[in-house]
RNA sequence: GGGCGAUUAGCUCAUUUGGCUAGAGCGCCUCAUUGACGUUGAGGAGGUGAUAGGUUCGAAUCCUAUAUCGCCCACCA
């Protein structure tokens, strides 16, 4: 025995950071676009720089890392490009909160100071997150780390904006937007969430009508009363009729509007409209060319039109206004149990107040995009790439969700009134007469004309998703080339080696929750700018939820599981495998610590397999020719081949959980519990070494740290890291020999089962001079923990319990009195066989079955029947033997 | 209101385009050994696949309804 280099238990924490440093030093994660190998690339979804990694991040890092490491093992040149996201809105919210806590605000500190603080904050977050990604074992190419706000990306953003503007895809207009008065910005439709709230619903008298509202504070300027054109109750009123009405602050002139947007079945069927603060009302006003008046300021307070209520926050004003109307005798009734949805900004949680603002939009319906030789709208391109299967979506059912989203897609509002982000590349100036000019360009305008004021850049920034939409290709542009503004965007793409080698990327692996925010928008921008799809496959994983099925949320700190605490307690590999075990595309998983311990144990199992093999193989066997000789050798070699093929196939199809389950069973059941136990009788050293190395490679994508630690500790290959090893070459095995081992397994299992149930030990297995059993007697004896396996002699009893699972005639030498207890089990087995025979027979009697089922299935049934009948005969004989004796 | 998903062992979940006796981890019961591993080994119990119909030679899988839970989209003044 050689000296043990591996300690008894695997203590992950002692090795992980050294192992990661080793990988980085070896540069195995660095991609090489000049390589002759097949290129394989994944863009890492850049996590928001808002703090620390969550279990959700841990999941995507694990899945992508498995894909990346597996691709390397298949001999591909792999680029897994990492990055982080500046996360405009969430970061803004955090900084504004910080300022508020300090008793100041962004206007007081100014844009420069605000941005300085923000940079400091995201810088700290970024460092934390990058080190956490490394701790997860991410085999990303850190030499190509990108950031959504870096200079190259900024140029790409500007180029894209200018190109779209030139094509008329970007326009500026007054539209209703979702205004957040707290953050003083608008947010996109997708960022608005609705929560149900119980409130009051008021009915007021409005001239001859009764109108309902939940928001009396918006009603000051309401001078249009709308009803459905077909509503018979109001047939006497004509579109355009005017009348005088006594209202909140005195009499006003109202106008009748007939519009189909009014629902005759809701309330009285009559409503007044507030076009400035409601999308539906805005659309009605647009259709009929009506006036629009702002009632509520951008800070959420009432304007001068509210008279005595001006400057009041809307919440304070509401009851007072109702009070006033009631005193005027205009309040008809109040419903206290009115349930309605309140719009909230998902980031920052401010209540949304629809407002009309001058904003920048992307037109999704204009047919100017050249795609596959045809002019199409952005919307049509989005639809066609999925419909035509240019991009495969996994799981497929998300196609429906995707198409449904696109069908309802409106123009994308891309401007934000926050400071942290890519500034809109538009400049304005006016001359002394008040004439205005607009400049849209990649770089600021430099000309300074007489009589004009200086150019001023649009104060707004772009929606974060506008920049992250460019992620797959902007990150592949050569950063030095990008500094050269004499090159066009097309030139940059054409001359960037990474773009040529790695785009389109192979797969976008991300959560289903950002399918619309991000994935769809990457498709939109990438097809438009580069003429390529951004990725060939989309794999959507589910959310990691708390064990009770609820979201892990900051409001319930006890629900949050921090990956770091799991790593320090159980090790990274255990965490990774716990995340993969049982995961399926698009489905959320409820996640508890229970799974982690099991996988920590699995790491330890692997560790001890290595420890054992190291202890038995002799020095000389290294580099020896691994060849199967025994039945067990052939069987395990055969199992390895099958496992390796299936795992590769599973991973190619993104069946992570299946691949892992297969690996787990192969290592624990086949290798450890059967093969190694068997090999204790007579170890085949070169084969053991081959098996260990193959298994380390196979397990490496799932458990990179423990496998590499073993590899390095054994140090069988100087200067080589496991992370760069290709998948093992298969050695040939003999199928008949492999089947022989299955026969041995059956004998061992049954012998174990019988001795166990009869609580006997030190039993002999006797046989009628069977050479096969004689050859393998040592193995059978050891595995089944028998006293001996030997041919029966004349003096031996033939009354023991015969094994029924094997074709070899053999029996356990157990005395009659004890053996009798086994009759019940035989009877039970017999009953099972009888019923299955009946079932199989009736199936085979069925003409339809014989005609319709594939012949392979029918043959299988016939074989099953035969086997069951054979077994039944044996069992009957056994039963007979016991009953007559 | 429109759509999507889930419902499988006590718990958490798989089951790869319909076909062997529906599997795994944890938990549970019994036993073993401590010479790779107690973070172990062996044996075992436990499922009418939510319910009711249908299609099919054959259904957890496809279809239709129902129930419960979850999610997405739209949003009504």
């Amino acid at each position: 025995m050689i000296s043990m280099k591996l300690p008894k238990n695997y203590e992950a924490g002692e090795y992980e950071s050294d192992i990661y440093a080793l990988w980085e030093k070896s540069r195995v994660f660095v991609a090489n676009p000049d390589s002759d190998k097949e290129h394989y690339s994944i863009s890492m979804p850049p996590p928001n720089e808002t703090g620390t990694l969550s279990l959700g991040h841990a999941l995507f890092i694990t899945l992508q890392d498995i894909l990346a490491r597996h691709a390397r093992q298949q001999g591909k040149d792999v680029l897994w490009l990492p990055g982080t996201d500046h996360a405009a809105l969430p970061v803004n919210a955090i900084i504004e909160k910080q300022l508020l806590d300090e008793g100041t605000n962004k206007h007081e500190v100014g844009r420069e100071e605000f941005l300085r603080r923000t940079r400091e904050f995201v810088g700290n977050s970024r460092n934390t997150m990058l080190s956490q990604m490394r701790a997860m074992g991410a085999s990303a190419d850190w030499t190509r780390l990108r950031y959504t706000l870096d200079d190259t990306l900024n140029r790409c953003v500007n180029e894209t904006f200018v190109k779209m503007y030139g094509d008329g895809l970007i326009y500026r207009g007054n539209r209703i937007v979702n205004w957040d008065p707290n953050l003083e910005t608008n947010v996109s439709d997708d960022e608005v969430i609705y929560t149900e709230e119980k409130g009051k619903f008021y009915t007021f008298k409005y001239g001859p009508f009764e109108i309902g509202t939940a928001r009396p504070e918006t009603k000051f300027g309401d001078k249009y009363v709308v009803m459905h054109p077909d509503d018979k109750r109001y047939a006497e009123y004509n579109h355009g009729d005017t009348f005088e009405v006594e209202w909140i602050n005195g009499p006003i002139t109202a106008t009748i509007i007939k519009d189909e947007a009014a629902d005759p079945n809701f309330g009285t069927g009559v409503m007044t409209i507030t076009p400035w603060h409601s999308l539906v009302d805005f659309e009605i006003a647009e259709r009929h060319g009506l006036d629009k008046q702002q009632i509520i300021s951008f800070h959420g307070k009432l304007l001068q039109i509210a008279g005595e209520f001006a400057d009041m926050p809307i919440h304070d004003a509401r009851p007072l206004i109702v009070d006033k109307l009631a005193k005027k005798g205009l309040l008809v009734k109040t419903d206290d149990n009115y349930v309605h949805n309140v719009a909230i900004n998902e980031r920052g949680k401010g209540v949304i107040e629809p407002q009309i603002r001058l904003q920048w939009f992307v037109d999704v319906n204009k047919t100017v995009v050249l795609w596959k030789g045809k002019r199409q709208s952005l919307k049509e391109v989005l639809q066609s790439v999925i419909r035509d299967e240019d991009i495969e979506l996994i799981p497929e059912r998300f196609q429906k969700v995707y198409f449904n989203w696109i069908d309802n897609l409106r123009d994308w509002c891309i401007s934000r009134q926050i400071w942290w982000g890519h500034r809109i590349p538009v400049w304005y100036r006016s001359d002394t007469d008040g004439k205005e000019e607009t400049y849209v360009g990649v770089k600021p305008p430099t000309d300074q004309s007489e009589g004009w004021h200086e150019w001023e850049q649009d104060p707004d920034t772009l929606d974060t998703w506008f920049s992250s939409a460019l992620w797959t290709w902007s990150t592949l542009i050569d950063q030095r080339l990008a500094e050269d503004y004499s090159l066009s965007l097309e030139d940059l793409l054409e001359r960037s080696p990474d773009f040529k080698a790695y785009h389109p990327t192979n797969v976008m692996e991300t959560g289903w929750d950002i399918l619309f925010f991000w994935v769809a928008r990457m498709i939109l921008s990438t097809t438009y700018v580069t003429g390529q799809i951004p990725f060939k496959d989309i794999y959507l994983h589910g959310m990691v939820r708390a064990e009770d099925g609820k979201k892990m949320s900051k409001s319930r700190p006890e629900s949050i599981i921090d990956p770091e605490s799991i790593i320090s307690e159980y090790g990274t590999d255990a965490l990774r495998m716990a995340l993969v075990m049982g995961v399926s595309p698009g489905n959320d998983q409820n996640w508890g610590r229970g799974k982690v311990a099991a996988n920590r144990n699995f790491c330890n199992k692997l560790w001890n397999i290595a420890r054992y093999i190291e202890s038995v193989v002799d020095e000389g066997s290294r580099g020896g020719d691994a060849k199967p000789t025994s039945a067990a050798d052939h069987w395990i070699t055969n199992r390895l081949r099958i496992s390796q093929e299936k795992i590769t196939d599973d991973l190619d199809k993104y069946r992570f959980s299946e691949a892992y389950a297969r690996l787990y069973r192969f290592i624990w059941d086949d290798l450890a519990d059967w093969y190694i136990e068997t090999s204790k009788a007579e170890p085949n050293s070169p084969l053991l070494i081959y098996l260990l190395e193959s298994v380390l490679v196979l397990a490496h994508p799932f458990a990179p740290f423990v496998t590499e630690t073993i590899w390095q500790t054994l140090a069988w290959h100087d200067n080589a890291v496991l992370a760069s090893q290709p998948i093992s070459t298969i050695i040939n095995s003999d199928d008949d020999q492999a089947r022989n081992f299955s026969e041995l397994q059956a004998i061992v299992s049954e012998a174990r089962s019988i001795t166990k149930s009869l609580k006997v030990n030190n039993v002999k297995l006797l046989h009628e001079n069977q050479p096969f059993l004689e050859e393998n007697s040592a193995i059978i004896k050891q595995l089944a923990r028998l006293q001996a396996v030997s041919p029966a002699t004349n003096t031996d009893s033939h009354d023991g319990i015969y094994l029924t699972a094997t074709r070899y005639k053999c029996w356990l030498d157990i005395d009659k009195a004890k053996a009798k207890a086994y009759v019940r089990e035989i009877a039970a087995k017999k009953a099972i066989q009888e019923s299955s025979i009946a079932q199989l027979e009736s199936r085979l009697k069925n003409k339809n079955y014989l005609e319709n089922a594939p012949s392979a299935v029918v043959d299988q049934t016939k074989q099953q029947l035969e086997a069951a009948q054979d077994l039944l005969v044996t069992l009957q004989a056994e039963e007979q033997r016991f009953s007559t004796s």
Side-chain angles (χ1 to χ4, degrees):
Chain A
M1 235 214 282
I2 58 169
S3 69
M4 293 276 235
K5 290 181 203 152
L6 302 172
K8 197 167 165 186
N9 281 336
Y10 172 63
E11 298 297 340
E14 290 179 21
Y15 311 100
E16 289 181 353
S17 57
D18 289 347
I19 291 291
Y20 199 92
L22 181 73
W23 287 329
E24 282 209 89
K25 207 177 124 216
S26 75
R27 297 179 67 82
V28 271
F29 305 156
V30 180
N32 176 14
D34 299 328
S35 165
D36 294 335
K37 295 174 179 176
E38 184 186 334
H39 301 298
Y40 180 91
S41 58
I42 302 177
S43 274
M44 180 191 290
N48 287 348
E49 293 178 331
T50 51
T52 54
L53 291 190
S54 67
L55 268 188
H57 294 118
L59 173 63
F60 88 62
I61 291 170
T62 301
L63 297 180
Q64 289 168 37
D65 192 51
I66 289 171
L67 293 174
R69 288 179 189 267
H70 185 248
R72 273 182 215 107
Q73 296 181 331
Q74 290 177 309
K76 295 175 187 168
D77 162 53
V78 173
L79 170 61
W80 181 20
L81 190 141
T84 55
D85 195 302
H86 68 283
L89 211 50
V91 169
N92 243 273
I94 289 168
I95 304 299
E96 297 219 20
K97 171 110 192 346
Q98 281 180 5
L99 292 171
L100 190 70
D101 292 345
E102 291 169 28
T104 178
N105 62 51
K106 69 174 176 183
H107 300 293
E108 271 176 35
V109 300
R111 193 160 188 146
E112 280 315 304
E113 169 63 11
F114 184 89
L115 292 179
R116 193 197 60 75
R117 278 169 175 260
T118 310
R119 279 188 207 103
E120 188 182 294
F121 171 80
V122 297
N124 292 337
S125 288
R126 183 183 313 151
N127 289 334
T128 308
M129 297 176 84
L130 293 180
S131 73
Q132 287 179 319
M133 289 184 207
R134 286 180 166 90
M136 280 303 299
S139 64
D141 184 349
W142 300 108
T143 66
R144 288 175 165 83
L145 178 67
R146 293 292 185 270
Y147 171 44
T148 55
L149 210 54
D150 66 27
D151 292 342
T152 306
L153 191 44
N154 184 246
R155 172 156 183 203
C156 292
V157 164
N158 290 352
E159 296 274 5
T160 303
F161 188 100
V162 171
K163 183 172 159 74
M164 284 183 156
Y165 184 82
D167 280 340
L169 284 175
I170 283 184
Y171 66 93
R172 199 178 189 212
N174 274 305
R175 293 295 140 88
I176 285 269
V177 295
N178 306 298
W179 185 258
D180 178 349
N182 288 358
L183 288 178
E184 292 177 43
T185 181
N186 71 301
V187 297
S188 71
D189 294 341
D190 298 312
E191 281 162 332
V192 177
I193 51 170
Y194 293 88
T195 52
E196 252 188 15
E197 235 174 60
K198 213 165 94 173
K200 291 179 159 77
F201 187 75
Y202 308 96
T203 304
F204 298 115
K205 227 176 137 41
Y206 189 85
F209 305 105
E210 285 182 0
I211 56 136
T213 183
R215 303 203 53 197
E217 70 276 9
T218 64
K219 296 280 144 193
F220 288 100
D222 287 14
K223 54 182 182 179
Y224 300 105
V225 56
V226 184
M227 60 210 68
H228 198 277
D230 301 333
D231 195 331
K232 294 199 181 76
R233 288 170 293 181
Y234 309 108
E236 60 183 288
Y237 300 99
N238 294 315
H239 182 83
D241 286 354
T242 58
F243 59 97
E244 291 292 308
V245 56
E246 179 61 27
W247 197 225
I248 310 170
N249 290 333
I252 56 169
T253 305
T255 309
I256 305 267
I257 301 294
K258 299 266 182 166
D259 192 284
E260 291 176 358
D263 179 0
N265 298 316
F266 186 90
T268 58
V270 181
M271 62 179 178
T272 59
I273 57 169
T274 315
W276 199 284
H277 299 291
S278 153
L279 178 63
V280 175
D281 295 3
F282 177 85
E283 286 170 351
I284 293 171
E286 285 283 283
R287 277 198 285 278
H288 302 285
L290 311 178
D291 298 340
K292 308 181 190 87
Q293 193 168 16
Q294 187 173 10
I295 314 295
I296 299 162
S297 77
F298 296 119
H299 306 287
K301 291 179 177 165
L302 288 165
L303 293 167
Q304 288 312 309
I305 188 174
E308 64 195 90
F309 304 104
D311 284 336
M312 290 179 75
I314 52 177
H315 269 278
D316 299 348
R318 189 179 295 173
L320 302 176
I321 294 163
V322 173
D323 215 35
K324 183 169 181 188
L325 283 162
K327 280 187 184 128
K328 284 183 145 190
L330 295 174
L331 178 63
V332 180
K333 62 179 175 193
T334 308
D335 176 358
D336 290 324
N337 295 312
Y338 179 67
V339 178
H340 65 296
N341 284 326
V342 178
I344 309 268
N345 178 6
E346 193 173 15
R347 320 274 179 193
K349 308 295 176 199
V351 176
I352 296 295
E353 183 67 64
Q355 293 272 12
I356 294 176
R357 296 277 317 210
L358 192 55
Q359 300 289 350
W360 291 96
F361 293 87
V362 171
D363 187 331
V364 295
N365 291 306
K366 194 163 185 174
T367 51
V368 294
V369 187
L370 191 62
W371 181 251
K372 291 190 178 174
K374 225 178 102 188
R375 293 280 166 201
Q376 304 185 41
S377 68
L378 291 170
K379 215 173 180 172
E380 286 163 343
V381 177
L382 279 170
Q383 284 163 329
S384 79
V385 291
I386 297 290
R387 199 187 44 233
D388 302 346
E389 290 172 0
D390 298 321
I391 299 176
E392 190 185 354
L393 188 52
I394 301 159
E396 206 182 317
R397 64 183 155 86
F398 275 96
Q399 284 192 6
K400 280 187 185 175
V401 185
Y402 178 87
F403 286 125
N404 181 262
W405 178 79
I406 293 174
D407 290 343
N408 296 314
L409 188 62
R410 287 199 292 250
D411 287 355
W412 172 18
C413 179
I414 52 171
S415 46
R416 297 290 181 275
Q417 289 68 52
I418 54 181
W419 290 346
W420 181 238
H422 290 282
R423 199 138 167 203
I424 289 179
V426 177
W427 288 260
Y428 312 99
R429 70 174 177 184
S430 54
D431 69 4
T432 42
D433 300 331
K435 209 170 100 190
E436 294 206 349
E437 241 184 38
T438 301
Y439 172 84
V440 178
V442 175
K443 294 184 86 174
T446 47
D447 63 308
Q448 199 46 260
S449 313
E450 281 290 312
W452 287 87
H453 296 293
E454 277 190 34
W455 287 105
E456 275 188 42
Q457 189 168 7
D458 194 302
D460 288 355
T461 51
L462 286 160
D463 181 7
T464 311
W465 302 106
F466 189 88
S467 50
S468 31
L470 318 180
W471 189 244
T472 61
W473 55 270
S474 63
T475 51
L476 298 176
I477 285 179
D478 189 294
Q479 295 192 299
R480 244 179 252 151
L481 285 180
E483 289 166 12
D484 181 354
Y485 278 82
S486 69
L487 297 171
S488 70
L489 182 57
E490 287 71 25
D491 293 338
L492 288 180
L493 291 172
E494 191 57 36
R495 294 196 198 177
S496 294
D498 281 0
F499 179 78
K500 301 301 280 181
Y502 301 112
H503 205 273
T505 60
N506 289 71
V507 57
M508 174 45 58
E509 194 291 319
T510 191
W512 57 255
D513 56 328
I514 51 173
L515 177 61
F516 307 140
F517 281 123
W518 191 42
V519 179
R521 282 175 181 147
M522 277 191 282
I523 299 174
L524 181 153
S525 301
T526 307
T527 49
Y528 169 70
V529 176
T530 70
Q532 295 182 6
I533 49 171
F535 27 71
K536 294 166 193 153
D537 296 334
I538 302 168
Y539 177 91
L540 297 173
H541 62 249
M543 305 296 105
V544 181
R545 310 191 110 93
E547 213 163 10
D548 60 4
K550 291 185 182 137
K551 263 188 188 164
M552 288 189 191
S553 80
K554 286 183 184 135
S555 61
R556 296 188 310 140
E558 75 283 0
S559 71
I560 296 179
I561 298 175
D562 173 18
E564 251 180 10
S565 72
I566 299 282
I567 288 173
S568 61
E569 195 177 342
Y570 299 96
T572 301
D573 293 334
L575 170 62
R576 290 166 59 111
M577 294 187 285
L579 284 163
V580 166
M581 190 182 240
V583 76
S584 54
N587 291 330
D588 298 347
Q589 53 172 326
N590 298 350
W591 206 85
R593 283 166 180 265
K595 278 192 197 173
V596 193
N599 288 290
R600 187 260 329 255
N601 296 355
F602 180 59
C603 292
N604 198 53
K605 193 74 191 178
L606 204 47
W607 184 256
N608 276 290
I609 288 170
R611 229 159 73 85
Y612 172 76
I613 292 178
E614 189 208 21
S615 74
V616 293
V617 298
D618 49 88
E619 287 283 345
S621 336
R622 280 201 270 134
D625 197 11
K627 251 205 306 228
T629 52
S630 68
D633 291 349
H634 284 281
W635 174 80
I636 194 69
T637 309
N638 183 49
R639 292 292 303 150
L640 173 67
R641 176 180 61 81
I642 293 169
S643 303
Q644 211 166 270
E645 285 170 1
K646 297 260 190 188
I647 288 169
T648 301
D649 186 52
D650 283 336
L651 289 181
D652 287 347
K653 290 173 177 144
Y654 307 106
R655 295 193 295 245
F656 296 97
S657 176
E658 277 287 296
Y660 177 60
R662 231 178 262 286
L663 175 76
Y664 188 96
R665 284 197 299 267
F666 174 72
I667 291 177
W668 205 310
D669 300 347
D670 297 345
L671 183 61
D673 289 343
W674 282 108
Y675 182 73
I676 287 185
E677 289 306 317
T678 305
S679 83
K680 283 176 180 171
E682 199 185 342
N684 177 341
S685 288
L687 190 66
L688 279 169
I689 291 172
Y690 165 78
L691 287 169
L692 176 58
E693 295 192 342
S694 302
V695 146
L696 290 177
V697 172
L698 209 51
H700 182 73
F702 298 89
F705 286 107
V706 67
T707 51
E708 184 76 70
T709 305
I710 294 169
W711 184 269
Q712 294 299 328
T713 313
L714 296 175
W716 286 343
H717 301 264
D718 296 337
N719 302 322
V721 290
L722 179 60
S724 66
Q725 295 300 307
I727 212 142
S728 291
T729 329
I730 290 298
I731 53 181
N732 289 326
S733 60
D734 182 273
D735 287 353
D736 288 336
Q737 290 263 48
R739 267 192 289 277
N740 281 342
F741 187 73
S742 302
E743 190 78 23
L744 289 177
Q745 285 181 303
I747 291 168
V748 168
S749 292
E750 194 176 9
R752 281 171 176 169
S753 164
I754 293 171
T755 52
K756 197 86 179 179
S757 88
L758 292 178
K759 297 193 197 324
V760 293
N761 42 35
N762 254 349
V763 179
K764 279 192 279 189
L765 182 72
L766 300 174
H767 57 85
E768 289 173 348
N769 224 354
Q770 304 275 357
F772 177 73
L773 299 184
E774 192 55 24
E775 273 164 35
N776 292 290
S777 59
I779 292 168
I780 299 172
K781 182 183 159 214
Q782 169 148 354
L783 292 184
R785 296 194 184 278
L786 297 166
Q787 192 195 58
V789 176
S790 52
T793 61
N794 288 338
T795 55
D796 283 323
S797 156
H798 283 233
D799 283 342
I801 297 173
Y802 279 79
L803 301 191
T804 56
T806 173
R807 60 175 191 273
Y808 296 104
K809 203 116 178 116
C810 57
W811 64 96
L812 289 166
D813 184 30
I814 295 170
D815 75 65
K816 240 185 229 171
K818 275 192 176 167
K820 268 213 144 162
Y822 198 65
V823 174
R824 273 211 321 258
E825 314 231 359
I826 292 172
K829 282 188 189 173
K830 215 185 81 184
I832 292 170
Q833 291 311 312
E834 279 167 349
S835 86
S836 95
I837 286 169
Q839 231 176 45
L840 294 168
E841 275 177 342
S842 81
R843 194 181 299 172
L844 285 169
K845 267 186 218 147
N846 187 332
K847 246 192 221 159
N848 288 323
Y849 175 70
L850 296 174
E851 280 165 17
N852 294 318
S855 62
V857 175
V858 176
D859 286 349
Q860 196 181 32
T861 311
K862 283 181 186 160
Q863 280 165 21
Q864 278 168 14
L865 180 60
E866 234 168 86
Q869 281 165 339
D870 285 354
L871 184 50
L872 182 63
V873 170
T874 314
L875 289 166
Q876 276 166 341
E878 277 297 278
E879 203 178 31
Q880 185 72 14
R881 210 163 51 75
F882 277 107
S883 66
T884 54
S885 57

